[in-house]
């Protein structure tokens, strides 16, 4: 196994994905780590980091349809980072106060095909959008009704 003494940025690994080149990417409580089979390369939010992530406490990783890493952080659904594993560039994708989405973002998820979805609490219910590099596209508009259950005596 590997630890901080071998180059891992944190002893707590929260998620692992493999990219198209075969690198293992590990999300930790202290940033992103790439393992090439021999050594680790770390990326975090610190002032001396070559690539500035938005936060350090990564909760989930996935690879999108363009081969970029989608980085989701603990306790926030208002943005995510899109990391280019070739150029080591980071783009923060804001999800609040957008013209192409209604409501407040609640959760971010990716499927096995590399698609990224964001669920919003909207005034009319739950709306699920698919993220593309150019926009958010509404894919599900669910009206949520709440019922009060009264127990029978």
């Amino acid at each position: 196994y590997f630890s901080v003494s071998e180059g891992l940025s944190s002893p707590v690994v929260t998620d692992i994905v493999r990219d198209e080149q075969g690198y293992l990417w590990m999300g930790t409580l202290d940033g992103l780590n790439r393992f090439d089979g021999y050594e680790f390369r770390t990326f975090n939010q610190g002032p001396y980091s070559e690539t500035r992530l938005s936060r350090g406490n990564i909760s989930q990783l996935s690879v999108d349809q363009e081969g970029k890493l989608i980085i989701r952080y603990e306790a926030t659904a208002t943005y995510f980072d899109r990391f280019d594993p070739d150029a080591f560039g980071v783009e923060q994708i804001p999800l609040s106060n957008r013209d192409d989405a209604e409501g407040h973002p609640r959760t971010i998820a990716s499927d096995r095909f590399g698609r990224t979805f964001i669920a919003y609490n909207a005034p009319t219910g739950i709306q699920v959008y698919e993220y593309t590099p150019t926009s958010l596209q509404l894919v599900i508009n669910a009206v949520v009704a709440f019922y009060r259950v009264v127990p029978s005596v």
Side-chain angles (χ1 to χ4, degrees):
Y1 70 94
F2 296 101
S3 67
V4 175
S5 60
E6 283 83 31
L8 198 56
S9 65
S10 169
V12 179
V13 174
T14 55
D15 203 2
I16 300 173
V17 296
R18 185 175 175 192
D19 70 11
E20 295 166 350
Q21 287 86 27
Y23 292 114
L24 288 179
W25 293 89
M26 299 171 202
T28 72
L29 296 181
D30 190 26
L32 183 65
N33 298 256
R34 184 187 77 176
F35 185 63
D36 63 7
Y38 300 100
E39 61 186 5
F40 288 96
R41 185 168 186 177
T42 60
F43 306 90
N44 56 35
Q45 67 174 5
Y48 304 108
S49 174
E50 68 179 286
T51 302
R52 302 273 320 243
L53 299 178
S54 295
R55 297 179 77 167
N57 56 344
I58 294 171
S59 63
Q60 293 178 318
L61 298 171
S62 59
V63 179
D64 72 12
Q65 293 173 328
E66 294 180 359
K68 296 192 170 53
L69 296 174
I70 300 297
I71 304 172
R72 296 179 297 282
Y73 297 98
E74 186 68 35
T76 185
T78 57
Y79 61 87
F80 63 87
D81 281 350
R82 192 165 182 249
F83 180 86
D84 184 335
D86 297 322
F88 303 130
V90 177
E91 176 186 14
Q92 187 183 84
I93 309 297
L95 299 174
S96 294
N97 302 320
R98 292 182 63 115
D99 292 335
D100 55 357
E102 182 181 1
H104 182 73
R106 297 298 299 159
T107 190
I108 306 164
S110 297
D111 68 9
R112 64 186 177 106
F113 302 109
R115 298 177 302 188
T116 301
F117 299 95
I118 299 96
Y120 283 78
N121 280 350
T124 57
I126 303 297
Q127 295 183 339
V128 178
Y129 293 83
E130 181 178 356
Y131 167 79
T132 67
T134 57
S135 69
L136 289 176
Q137 298 174 359
L138 182 65
V139 292
I140 298 173
N141 187 9
V143 176
V144 178
F146 295 96
Y147 297 96
R148 182 173 179 212
V149 177
V150 179
S152 61
V153 183

